[in-house]
Amino acid sequence: MTTPDYAEKIPNNVSLADDRRLQRALESWQPDFLSWWETMGPALPTQDVYLRTAVNVGREGWAQFDFVPMRDYRWGIFLAERDGDRRIAFGAHKGEPAWQQVPGEYRAELRRLIVIQGDTEPASVEQQRNLGASAPSLYDLRNLFQVNVEEGRHLWAMVYLLHAHFGREGREEATELLHRNSGSADAPRILGAFNEETPDWLSFFMFTYFTDRDGKYQLGTLKESAFDPLSRTCEFMLKEEAHHMFVGTTGVDRVVERTAQVMVEQDTDDVAGYGVIPLPVIQKYLNFHYSVSLDLFGGETSTNVANYYTAGLKGRWLEERRKDDHLLTDDSIMVDALIDGEIGLTEVAALTGLNTDLRREYIADCEGGVKRWNRILESAGLPHRLALPHPAFNRRVGVFAGIEASPTGEKLLAAEWEQRKAQWLPTEVDKTFVRSLMRPVYERGKIAAWLAPPRNGINGKPFDYDYVHLR
């Protein structure tokens, strides 16, 4: 482990200069990345942005803040510190030393896991490309750009692993990561949620709350991997992922807070005419982004995931805190199921139910945000409450993909779903209204009327700090 050297062409703490072949390969990929950033990254022209840049991976501080032209942001390769005594914590190889190289028998599976994770990183940048044109404040604009550059670095993290450990196939996969594009008809991103539009800031806040939270849990399972370079890479990525979820959590906070203020001031639930987003519309956006994010966990049961676990490739969330044998060969779990056509539960082997185990950790985490937003409504003296919809609602992956269900879990006939879905999911009218509020506010210390200002600025700076210098 070395301290990152920002004088290098590719900043890193993996002693890249000691492997000239790998260094040349990554330097040949770098221009393609920069070309992708110019054509698919943030579209709003800026001079520079108040961004944090990773400078260390130890326990004593890890980032510095400064104004940086975004094209000159120093994307690099950072792994958490290596534990020389680390042992595999689960599966058939439990107790063996963690792998520093890819075992031949698991090469294809590990490459696939890395490619899928890597594909999500540039996808979210592409989805958010045009949001700068409607930023509600310079503070929010800066947060958007911070999320974007860090997703770019997470792409670098996966590309490094592909180049360093998977030879020609890895280099080809790294190239393809820049050739797929979110929403493309010919070459879409691998996972469905990353081909959805993010056309407005309410969508962005919901995405960074719900979909980036999925990313947290996926990275958490890969952090447990017996393949140590992947584990150390994901451990560092989780440091940056926390800010993305903070943007979503506090963003929805501020939307709900502003709506509640206007509801109280005007003594009405019908606040659209006052330039804020009504609670039913917020609930519809929540319903959509939550249900789409649930699909990212895959089916309720999965033989592939069972095999990943047994092989040591991908563990459970907080694996080493679990109070069991970490083998799961004799354990079972209750998973969602359709029983005689009705929504219910069935018992399956714990190994094949690992997707359900992870999804439940995620759902419990999401419930924390909803409780937080409901406390805002409660403190405003309002009886209204937001809620997570039932896991069967609006699903396109897993056991519920073949049915329709209401947010309360009532199974519906297809015709009834078509008749009622406008009550629960954003309609074109809702989307048009939300977009009508998305007028940019670039004046220092000012903010759009549809959300409240943040309680604190960035890195000790005030809200009215000059976070972004536009061209």
Side-chain angles (χ1 to χ4, degrees):
M1 180 63 69
T2 60
T3 300
D5 181 357
Y6 274 84
E8 294 186 38
K9 188 172 183 180
I10 301 175
N12 69 93
N13 70 338
V14 295
S15 301
L16 188 59
D18 294 342
D19 188 337
R20 295 295 298 163
R21 183 176 179 179
L22 176 59
Q23 185 179 42
R24 286 194 298 271
L26 287 168
E27 287 178 354
S28 70
W29 184 83
Q30 190 176 38
D32 291 339
F33 169 81
L34 291 174
S35 175
W36 166 82
W37 180 265
E38 287 295 301
T39 56
M40 299 301 293
L44 184 69
T46 57
Q47 294 182 31
D48 52 23
V49 181
Y50 187 68
L51 296 172
R52 72 177 183 186
T53 302
V55 294
N56 207 318
V57 295
R59 294 172 177 82
E60 299 299 324
W62 65 277
Q64 68 181 18
F65 290 78
D66 203 354
F67 281 95
V68 182
M70 275 206 293
R71 195 181 192 281
D72 297 337
Y73 188 82
R74 301 309 313 279
W75 288 282
I77 301 157
F78 307 106
L79 276 66
E81 297 174 15
R82 179 179 172 186
D83 177 359
D85 297 324
R86 181 173 180 251
R87 299 270 166 174
I88 301 169
F90 61 96
H93 300 284
K94 179 185 172 187
E96 297 175 15
W99 312 323
Q100 301 308 315
Q101 300 297 328
V102 178
E105 64 268 34
Y106 302 135
R107 187 177 182 86
E109 291 86 352
L110 272 170
R111 187 178 75 241
R112 181 63 176 169
L113 287 172
I114 291 168
V115 166
I116 291 173
Q117 181 62 47
D119 193 72
T120 68
E121 313 297 352
S124 62
V125 177
E126 294 164 354
Q127 288 172 297
Q128 298 156 16
R129 170 171 168 75
N130 295 310
L131 285 177
S134 57
S137 72
L138 291 181
Y139 165 91
D140 291 293
L141 184 60
R142 178 265 167 206
N143 280 344
L144 167 69
F145 291 153
Q146 185 69 59
V147 169
N148 292 161
V149 295
E150 288 179 353
E151 299 291 19
R153 203 206 61 73
H154 295 178
L155 171 61
W156 269 95
M158 297 296 112
V159 164
Y160 163 73
L161 293 175
L162 290 170
H163 274 84
H165 296 280
F166 294 93
R168 177 180 57 81
E169 292 171 330
R171 293 191 294 275
E172 291 173 353
E173 293 280 20
T175 298
E176 286 302 308
L177 288 172
L178 297 176
H179 289 171
R180 287 186 291 272
N181 294 130
S182 177
S184 167
D186 299 322
R189 292 298 175 181
I190 296 170
L191 300 177
F194 293 90
N195 290 302
E196 299 286 350
E197 288 186 321
T198 308
D200 58 71
W201 280 76
L202 180 58
S203 297
F204 173 64
F205 291 143
M206 292 293 181
F207 182 98
T208 47
Y209 184 82
F210 287 111
T211 308
D212 278 327
R213 194 166 303 274
D214 161 78
K216 164 188 167 181
Y217 282 89
Q218 302 298 343
L219 289 173
T221 63
L222 294 174
K223 185 178 79 70
E224 304 293 338
S225 179
F227 180 40
D228 204 44
L230 175 58
S231 171
R232 292 162 57 206
T233 297
C234 292
E235 185 175 349
F236 186 79
M237 289 168 69
L238 282 164
K239 289 179 180 289
E240 294 177 325
E241 199 72 30
H243 177 260
H244 308 180
M245 292 181 291
F246 165 84
V247 170
T249 303
T250 59
V252 179
D253 279 359
R254 293 159 53 215
V255 176
V256 173
E257 179 182 348
R258 181 61 183 143
T259 295
Q261 288 173 352
V262 175
M263 288 172 68
V264 171
E265 289 169 1
Q266 303 299 328
D267 192 23
T268 181
D269 295 353
D270 186 11
V271 293
Y274 298 97
V276 297
I277 303 172
L279 286 180
V281 175
I282 296 173
Q283 179 69 64
K284 289 182 183 183
Y285 274 68
L286 184 162
N287 289 346
F288 174 77
H289 286 274
Y290 175 68
S291 59
V292 167
S293 298
L294 287 183
D295 280 349
L296 292 171
F297 290 86
E300 285 68 25
T301 61
S302 169
T303 302
N304 282 342
V305 174
N307 292 337
Y308 293 156
Y309 185 87
T310 299
L313 308 185
K314 184 177 180 181
R316 290 174 292 175
W317 177 253
L318 301 178
E319 178 69 47
E320 295 187 50
R321 298 187 189 179
R322 304 290 185 114
K323 304 299 183 185
D324 54 39
D325 64 6
H326 303 278
L327 301 175
L328 307 183
T329 51
D330 299 320
D331 296 344
S332 63
I333 185 175
M334 301 299 292
V335 303
D336 291 325
L338 290 177
I339 302 171
D340 297 329
E342 298 302 318
I343 297 170
L345 295 171
T346 192
E347 187 174 15
V348 301
L351 281 170
T352 59
L354 286 172
N355 279 349
T356 291
D357 177 87
L358 187 62
R359 184 184 285 116
R360 285 177 181 160
E361 295 281 350
Y362 169 82
I363 289 172
D365 198 355
C366 289
E367 286 171 345
V370 175
K371 289 178 182 176
R372 176 186 176 119
W373 304 328
N374 284 336
R375 283 196 295 269
I376 295 172
L377 296 173
E378 184 179 12
S379 65
L382 295 171
H384 310 71
R385 297 294 182 265
L386 299 169
L388 295 179
H390 190 278
F393 174 77
N394 193 42
R395 296 293 302 284
R396 299 296 173 259
V397 174
V399 70
F400 297 134
I403 68 164
E404 301 295 357
S406 73
T408 58
E410 174 193 3
K411 190 164 173 265
L412 304 174
L413 296 174
E416 187 176 8
W417 165 261
E418 287 299 323
Q419 185 179 22
R420 299 177 65 187
K421 68 179 181 180
Q423 302 172 34
W424 306 319
L425 291 171
T427 64
E428 287 306 313
V429 171
D430 296 325
K431 295 174 186 177
T432 299
F433 169 72
V434 171
R435 285 198 296 269
S436 75
L437 302 180
M438 300 293 120
R439 298 173 186 147
V441 178
Y442 299 142
E443 187 178 349
R444 180 173 172 174
K446 302 295 185 182
I447 191 166
W450 58 270
L451 78 171
R455 300 220 183 316
N456 301 294
I458 299 297
N459 192 37
K461 304 295 185 186
F463 166 68
D464 63 358
Y465 188 66
D466 199 11
Y467 288 105
V468 181
H469 297 142
L470 300 172
R471 284 186 194 165

